[in-house]
Amino acid sequence: MTTTAFVPERYVAFRFSSKTVTWGDSSVTVEFGYRLESDGTVEALACTERYEFPYEGEVDDDRRDAFDRVTNHLGLLAGLSYYKMAAPPTVSIDVGVWTSAQLGAHQEILANGLGEFCFVNDIDPNLRPAFVATMTEPREPVPLVLSAGPLVPVGGGKDSCVSIEALRAADASPTLITVNRYPVIADVIADAELPDVAVRRFLDPRMREFNEAGALNGHVPATAIVSFAVVCAAVLRGHAAVVMSNERSASEGNVSYRGFEINHQWSKSADAEEILRSLIESEVSGLAYFSLLRPLSELAIARSFAATCRRYLDSFSSCNAAFRLDPARRVSRWCGQCPKCQFVYLALATSLSRETLEQVWGAELLATSPREGFLALLGLTEWKPFECVGESGECRVALAILTESSEWRYHPVVAELASAVREAGKWPSIAERSAVFEAQPAPGIPETYVHMVPVSE
């Protein structure tokens, strides 16, 4: 561990300084270089991040050109993990050429994707550093002929399982993809029995050291970073679509902070998807990027999971404790105590039996996990948990469904929570309950995929 204190205020600019691409026989390595430049009182700080993308066959000139373009965006997005260590007022970009619209899109991603970071560090949420880059007029996107089936990022949770099965049922020939593969994800992929691709991401190993020495830390827009890594793989391998599994509930914020809505899931939101799609379309043509589940609520997705994804009951997990970087601190599937566990349990309790839920979690979470977590999910606390959980309104709908279930209606915790919701004047109306299961329009879904969106019965 370093003995030198990290003082964020001493760094005045962040620089995306280099990109190195090394082509191998079956994989390409892309390394990004970053620098935090100081005010002269300390040395500049250099960091690197590396990706390995597997591919097969020949990569023609158009795809190499497109790959070069999209990896520039990946490098700038991945750099947010290092920018946030000091959050300086200037971002300098030495790699590639950029249009004003592209830089504006990246500024939006930074400002919104680092909202939670600003909240937890008590800094101004209007985080809009000046971007300095080599500018160009808009260029024609690289025209690509992409014939392979859709790439589906797999995170190990219920949502991607639902997308996989919806695409399988439509004979869409999906290929599964991961950006770093944890044991839970490997188990889900094994159960899916479909072709898969593994991209590897290597963060600078000194980040933990810098954080321990005083660097600022917090949430980054991880889905945006993963999305562009998958886009890079799609371009390289010739896939015609990247099919995400982000639901409409991801667009709801967690808390209002200094006049700004802070959304832990912002990079999964409809707004973020539109921005990312605009960046992709500015560089390449012929590649679709969208979320198949965007029209659906979390409860509708939970219902589809219960109906179509039984093969994953022994492998799936949405618990963040299963994805900790330190294997010694990682749980095998579910911790049973966090808001994520509580939300998925509550959502699936509307569609799966108590016996099945206990087989999945090894416990009855309504009795064994903190009541405060459920109150927060139900919108009865100051803010919604900073986790990828559903809307407060649909959590209340889930609770209302449980109060009418023969398995749950007499459960003391269900009764206690229902009483608290009623006292707060937030009991869901019939219209609100119905609306949760109705699909909403999602114009980003290509016409050829609209019929594949799973429909709740």
Side-chain angles (χ1 to χ4, degrees):
M1 175 179 172
T2 183
T3 57
T4 303
F6 188 110
V7 182
E9 294 79 9
R10 292 179 177 173
Y11 296 94
V12 297
F14 172 79
R15 185 174 294 276
F16 177 16
S17 57
S18 65
K19 182 182 78 171
T20 304
V21 180
T22 305
W23 291 88
D25 292 337
S26 59
S27 69
V28 56
T29 298
V30 184
E31 184 171 279
F32 302 114
Y34 308 107
R35 286 170 61 88
L36 279 169
E37 299 181 340
S38 81
D39 59 5
T41 61
V42 293
E43 291 185 2
L45 181 67
C47 297
T48 60
E49 181 160 317
R50 189 172 83 254
Y51 290 78
E52 294 177 359
F53 297 94
Y55 69 93
E56 299 171 354
E58 295 296 322
V59 181
D60 62 32
D61 290 343
D62 280 345
R63 277 198 280 149
R64 288 193 182 226
D65 183 15
F67 183 74
D68 179 62
R69 291 198 195 186
V70 294
T71 51
N72 289 344
H73 293 277
L74 173 61
L76 189 52
L77 290 168
L80 294 176
S81 297
Y82 309 93
Y83 166 83
K84 70 175 171 59
M85 293 194 295
T90 301
V91 172
S92 296
I93 307 170
D94 296 337
V95 176
V97 294
W98 304 81
T99 69
S100 58
Q102 289 172 338
L103 291 186
H106 278 280
Q107 286 176 319
E108 287 298 316
I109 294 170
L110 186 153
N112 291 282
L114 293 182
E116 181 183 339
F117 160 81
C118 293
F119 178 81
V120 300
N121 287 285
D122 193 25
I123 61 179
D124 185 354
N126 190 24
L127 192 61
R128 293 188 179 270
F131 277 46
V132 180
T134 301
M135 305 300 293
T136 184
E137 292 298 316
R139 302 178 293 175
E140 287 295 320
V142 181
L144 296 181
V145 178
L146 304 170
S147 56
L151 270 182
V152 183
V154 179
K158 70 183 189 320
D159 298 347
S160 54
C161 294
V162 169
S163 289
I164 292 166
E165 294 309 308
L167 293 169
R168 189 203 304 269
D171 295 324
S173 302
T175 295
L176 313 185
I177 186 168
T178 57
V179 180
N180 289 355
R181 187 166 296 186
Y182 291 84
V184 164
I185 300 175
D187 291 343
V188 167
I189 288 176
D191 284 346
E193 298 181 302
L194 288 168
D196 67 281
V197 178
V199 173
R200 301 182 71 190
R201 178 190 185 192
F202 300 87
L203 293 161
D204 193 302
R206 295 171 299 165
M207 283 188 67
R208 180 179 296 182
E209 179 181 317
F210 297 143
N211 291 334
E212 291 174 351
L216 298 175
N217 199 8
H219 183 71
V220 298
T223 298
I225 299 169
V226 169
S227 291
F228 251 90
V230 174
V231 165
C232 293
V235 167
L236 187 65
R237 300 173 58 85
H239 294 271
V242 171
V243 181
M244 305 298 291
S245 303
N246 302 323
E247 70 293 334
R248 73 176 189 233
S249 308
S251 296
E252 182 185 71
N254 298 75
V255 65
S256 178
Y257 170 60
R258 299 191 192 181
F260 288 82
E261 182 182 71
I262 306 300
N263 183 359
H264 171 81
Q265 301 186 81
W266 183 82
S267 64
K268 291 183 175 181
S269 71
D271 287 347
E273 181 181 314
E274 185 176 347
I275 290 172
L276 292 170
R277 185 161 47 243
S278 73
L279 288 174
I280 296 164
E281 291 175 350
S282 73
E283 301 289 19
V284 300
S285 64
L287 175 61
Y289 171 83
F290 64 96
S291 175
L292 188 68
L293 307 186
R294 183 65 65 194
L296 307 179
S297 69
E298 284 275 21
L299 288 191
I301 294 168
R303 183 175 286 182
S304 290
F305 179 88
T308 66
C309 298
R310 295 296 180 120
R311 68 165 69 205
Y312 305 107
L313 283 177
D314 293 330
S315 58
F316 88 109
S317 176
S318 303
C319 176
N320 290 332
F323 302 93
R324 288 172 176 156
L325 293 177
D326 183 357
R329 299 180 58 245
R330 195 181 295 161
V331 302
S332 59
R333 288 182 63 214
W334 304 95
C335 75
Q337 300 295 305
C338 70
K340 195 70 178 289
C341 281
Q342 291 179 315
F343 171 72
V344 178
Y345 188 93
L346 181 64
L348 288 177
T350 64
S351 300
L352 293 176
S353 69
R354 286 177 68 169
E355 180 183 3
T356 300
L357 293 174
E358 187 156 351
Q359 290 173 353
V360 171
W361 271 271
E364 184 198 288
L365 265 57
L366 280 165
T368 60
S369 64
R371 307 280 175 87
E372 294 77 11
F374 287 109
L375 293 173
L377 290 172
L378 293 165
L380 302 181
T381 56
E382 188 176 356
W383 60 72
K384 192 171 78 171
F386 285 114
E387 298 273 8
C388 294
V389 296
E391 297 172 350
S392 301
E394 66 178 316
C395 290
R396 294 191 289 269
V397 169
L399 180 65
I401 293 171
L402 297 193
T403 64
E404 299 169 357
S405 162
S406 60
E407 287 195 307
W408 292 104
R409 68 176 62 175
Y410 301 114
H411 193 287
V413 176
V414 170
E416 177 187 333
L417 294 174
S419 177
V421 172
R422 287 192 172 98
E423 288 179 9
K426 294 185 176 183
W427 195 252
S429 66
I430 294 175
E432 288 171 330
R433 291 178 58 166
S434 176
V436 162
F437 292 100
E438 293 175 356
Q440 293 183 356
I445 301 178
E447 189 64 33
T448 53
Y449 283 88
V450 169
H451 73 282
M452 303 182 197
V453 177
V455 178
S456 299
E457 299 294 339

